[in-house]
Amino acid sequence: MTWAQRAGWNRRLKEPTGPDAFALACTLPVDGLTAGRLLGILGQMVERHEALRSRFLVDAAGEPRQDVLAAGEFTVGFREFDPGEAPDPAAQAQSVAEELKNRAGDVENSFLTWACVITVDDAPAHLALAVSHFFADGVGVDILCREIASLVAGETLPELDPAAWRPVDQALYENSPKGRKLSRRALLYWEQNLAEGPASMFPERRADHPEPRFVQIEMISPALAVAVQGLAQALGSSATTVSLALLCSSLGRALGTADLMFELISKNRWQPEAEGAVCNIAQNSLFRVRLDAQRDPGFPDVVRATARSALLAQRHSRHDPAPLDGIVRSVGERRGLEVERSCFFNFTADLPSEDHPGPPGRPGGLLPATTVRTGSRFTSGGTKFFLGVGGTGTGLYLSLFVDLDYLPLDDAVALLRDMEHRAVVEHAAAVG
């Protein structure tokens, strides 16, 4: 098993938030193919990628291991498009993909990949695919979908022999002398910052909500997409760094602290040969930034400080997760308090390099188009705050998973709005 797989397994045991938390899904059009041709393409993917013909076997002691088979299969369902269920086949595929995540995240299944074809008049129209997060990270699933899309379009992949970088290659690299050296250095970095940084970003319970008290809040903001891209260009930074700096700025003000620490999701594809791997390499890295508490730093300063801290986090993101729980306990005992790992940030938006559609230099004009929605509630074992930033055709998509006992709903929505407002103001200042 790779370190990312081991970390995912440990997290699943500690935080049983439901199987869908451990699966990723995607959809793509498959018009013009026969069912037989589509099944043949999926069969090629199974042959090419070990992740699609792997399973977890758990021994009597509860320890998992990855079992890679020479041949494998996964279930492909067919469902006729129902106008009463969704406005079009693409929307129905999105809904079905969410259903499949529950199956793909269930480790009791032999194979953790599921697919369903939405048909129109019995002809394939859209494909929904879900893959266990144990076997593939977000980059891996994107690669898988791009390869399927290429074959659907009649293109030929450069090589359809087994992919060059496999999960076993990643595991061997991690356990090599070089990989072990990286792990030791990363764990020392974690220990130092856990010992010196805030033990919890949300140490005090501020409300008392009935279970389930964990809620997902979604915001789609065209203005934020304009502002983040504009600020990245003006400051010579990236959209990821700017978004993270906005979170640090707004969260620091909301909590009254200049020392912020939470975990980032790092893709960890350092080796060139791993760039095209369909496997799970992503791990959590520890991000800590200390802003100037004596004055209100300008946003460019916050971006620069964020960039430095994010680079340090990325450099120390590869580590064997087995010793980390012991380090957390040991640091907590020395400090005489509980050290939490309960706050997370993940940026997955694929923003275009050109300006997002909208009034150039005037993102404030798009603010009325912002939508905020309170989604499902969940039962969780430890995460208090998880902000994911993605992209849509109409703007940036922010998904905040929050423990309402520690950050009430109104405060959580206000935090997202403050990030948007700060971005709009700073972008207007940057472009004059």
Side-chain angles (χ1 to χ4, degrees):
M1 295 175 66
T2 67
W3 288 339
Q5 290 173 328
R6 168 60 67 179
W9 181 264
N10 292 343
R11 186 170 67 252
R12 174 184 178 272
L13 294 179
K14 291 188 295 184
E15 299 183 26
T17 57
D20 64 314
F22 300 99
L24 300 166
C26 66
T27 63
L28 63 157
V30 291
D31 306 80
L33 294 183
T34 65
R37 174 57 181 151
L38 179 57
L39 292 175
I41 288 173
L42 295 177
Q44 287 179 282
M45 292 297 99
V46 173
E47 293 177 15
R48 178 170 169 79
H49 297 294
E50 288 186 353
L52 302 183
R53 44 188 167 86
S54 296
R55 58 183 177 178
F56 273 125
L57 299 180
V58 183
D59 62 23
E63 288 296 314
R65 64 179 177 87
Q66 184 177 356
D67 185 30
V68 181
L69 303 184
E73 61 184 25
F74 61 82
T75 300
V76 180
F78 287 81
R79 186 181 302 185
E80 181 71 7
F81 169 59
D82 181 359
E85 183 177 330
D88 54 58
Q92 186 167 341
Q94 289 282 356
S95 176
V96 170
E98 291 302 312
E99 296 176 19
L100 296 179
K101 283 171 63 177
N102 288 293
R103 300 183 186 179
D106 182 0
V107 296
E108 298 303 320
N109 290 306
S110 295
F111 297 98
L112 306 185
T113 304
W114 294 78
C116 182
V117 181
I118 304 301
T119 60
V120 175
D121 297 329
D122 294 327
H126 233 81
L127 173 68
L129 183 71
V131 182
S132 168
H133 209 338
F134 291 122
F135 292 133
D137 53 29
V139 176
V141 172
D142 287 343
I143 292 168
L144 179 66
C145 286
R146 285 200 301 270
E147 291 185 352
I148 294 174
S150 294
L151 294 175
V152 167
E155 300 171 7
T156 302
L157 297 179
E159 295 181 1
L160 269 178
D161 56 341
W165 193 259
R166 302 162 299 165
V168 67
D169 297 311
Q170 181 66 21
L172 288 171
Y173 176 85
E174 291 170 351
N175 286 282
S176 69
K178 183 177 181 180
R180 284 293 169 187
K181 182 178 180 180
L182 285 173
S183 177
R184 289 192 297 271
R185 187 178 70 182
L187 291 171
L188 286 172
Y189 166 85
W190 276 77
E191 184 171 15
Q192 177 182 347
N193 282 282
L194 290 173
E196 298 174 354
S200 172
M201 293 306 303
F202 299 92
E204 297 181 359
R205 178 168 288 183
R206 299 167 58 185
D208 188 11
H209 289 81
E211 295 290 352
R213 67 175 194 264
F214 299 86
V215 67
Q216 181 185 25
I217 305 164
E218 299 172 305
M219 182 170 86
I220 297 178
S221 171
L224 197 54
V226 174
V228 164
Q229 290 177 95
L231 283 168
Q233 294 168 4
L235 301 176
S237 187
S238 67
T240 304
T241 301
V242 169
S243 298
L244 181 55
L246 288 169
L247 172 60
C248 292
S249 179
S250 295
L251 189 60
R253 288 199 303 274
L255 301 180
T257 180
D259 193 354
L260 297 111
M261 188 165 71
F262 38 87
E263 296 182 31
L264 312 180
I265 314 301
S266 299
K267 69 176 185 177
N268 279 355
R269 291 174 181 256
W270 295 357
Q271 308 100 301
E273 59 269 31
E275 278 297 319
V278 176
C279 63
N280 190 4
I281 307 178
Q283 285 188 268
N284 290 2
S285 60
L286 187 63
F287 169 87
R288 183 185 179 199
V289 65
R290 283 154 286 185
L291 305 176
D292 191 338
Q294 304 303 315
R295 64 181 181 88
D296 183 16
F299 189 69
D301 290 335
V302 176
V303 171
R304 283 188 284 270
T306 299
R308 289 192 296 269
S309 296
L311 180 59
L312 277 174
Q314 177 64 34
R315 287 184 60 189
H316 300 93
S317 58
R318 280 192 171 181
H319 60 276
D320 185 346
L324 189 53
D325 284 343
I327 290 173
V328 173
R329 287 193 299 269
S330 175
V331 169
E333 290 170 0
R334 294 200 304 268
R335 297 184 64 173
L337 45 78
E338 182 181 0
V339 175
E340 292 183 353
R341 297 179 57 196
S342 61
C343 295
F344 306 86
F345 173 83
N346 190 24
F347 186 95
T348 60
D350 185 16
L351 294 175
S353 57
E354 66 273 10
D355 286 340
H356 194 280
R362 297 186 56 199
L366 298 179
L367 285 175
T370 299
T371 60
V372 179
R373 184 180 74 90
T374 301
S376 303
R377 294 202 176 206
F378 305 89
T379 299
S380 174
T383 300
K384 291 181 178 178
F385 183 99
F386 193 126
L387 178 62
V389 180
T392 72
T394 57
L396 270 191
Y397 168 74
L398 276 64
S399 173
L400 177 58
F401 176 83
V402 66
D403 184 341
L404 295 177
D405 276 10
Y406 291 88
L407 188 64
L409 183 61
D410 289 346
D411 294 342
V413 173
L415 174 69
L416 298 182
R417 286 289 194 180
D418 188 67
M419 290 178 61
E420 179 188 54
H421 175 75
R422 181 71 182 265
V424 167
V425 170
E426 293 296 338
H427 178 249
V431 301

